């Protein structure tokens, strides 16, 4: 199951942490940056899970989308720091966790590509 994947577990924890952070934003950011943070964070484990349930090529596509969401999340966190909505010491562990998720996603993608290369001949 996708639930057994460490990258899914870590990204779920990250999404929950982002949810708590976004809940602390002022009301005027509820539909702005807070909402974008929530969506990008939730997209990561969601795409891992959806891709896991599909054939390998589609799985790779979903992992690519999850990587895009990871980059988006880090950008939004950095923006939240610049806007003084989040203190740097609070953002750092979240950015670090997002980077770890990104490394794991790239590793999983690399492994799946290697598996495809071994099992599917080029046309």
């Amino acid at each position: 199951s996708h639930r057994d994947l460490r990258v899914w577990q870590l990204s779920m924890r990250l999404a929950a942490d982002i949810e708590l952070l976004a809940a602390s934003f002022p009301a005027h950011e509820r539909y702005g940056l807070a909402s974008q943070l929530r969506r990008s964070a939730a997209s990561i484990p969601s795409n891992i899970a959806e891709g896991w349930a599909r054939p390998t090529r589609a799985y790779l596509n979903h992992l690519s989308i999850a990587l895009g969401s990871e980059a988006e999340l880090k950008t939004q966190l950095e923006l939240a720091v610049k806007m003084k909505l989040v203190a740097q010491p609070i953002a750092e562990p979240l950015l670090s966790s997002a980077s770890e998720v990104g490394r794991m996603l790239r590793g999983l993608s690399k492994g799946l590509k290697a598996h495809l290369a071994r099992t599917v001949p080029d046309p």
Side-chain angles (χ1 to χ4, degrees), residues 82-121:
K82 287 193 181 303
M83 293 173 63
K84 302 199 183 320
L85 295 168
V86 178
Q88 186 70 39
I90 292 171
E92 276 307 317
L94 296 168
L95 288 164
S96 178
S97 185
S99 292
E100 178 65 15
V101 166
R103 282 189 292 277
M104 294 171 86
L105 286 169
R106 282 186 288 283
L108 181 54
S109 292
K110 184 178 177 182
L112 286 171
K113 287 175 187 174
H115 172 74
L116 267 180
R118 288 190 307 269
T119 59
V120 179

Side-chain angles (χ1 to χ4, degrees), residues 13-123:
R13 195 169 321 124
L14 176 60
D17 290 344
I18 292 295
E19 179 62 38
L20 291 173
L21 177 70
S24 72
F25 280 24
H28 71 275
E29 283 296 337
R30 185 170 302 135
Y31 301 108
L33 190 55
S35 177
Q36 289 179 304
L37 278 163
R38 285 180 172 114
R39 284 194 313 269
S40 61
S43 173
I44 301 169
S46 297
N47 274 289
I48 294 167
E50 184 174 353
W52 187 88
R54 296 177 181 261
T56 304
R57 288 188 195 279
Y59 193 3
L60 283 166
N61 184 55
H62 282 278
L63 293 178
S64 176
I65 294 167
L67 267 168
S69 294
E70 177 261 342
E72 183 181 0
L73 175 63
K74 289 192 321 192
T75 299
Q76 292 162 353
L77 279 170
E78 290 172 14
L79 180 59
V81 170
K82 287 193 181 303
M83 293 173 63
K84 302 199 183 320
L85 295 168
V86 178
Q88 186 70 39
I90 292 171
E92 276 307 317
L94 296 168
L95 288 164
S96 178
S97 185
S99 292
E100 178 65 15
V101 166
R103 282 189 292 277
M104 294 171 86
L105 286 169
R106 282 186 288 283
L108 181 54
S109 292
K110 184 178 177 182
L112 286 171
K113 287 175 187 174
H115 172 74
L116 267 180
R118 288 190 307 269
T119 59
V120 179
D122 285 331

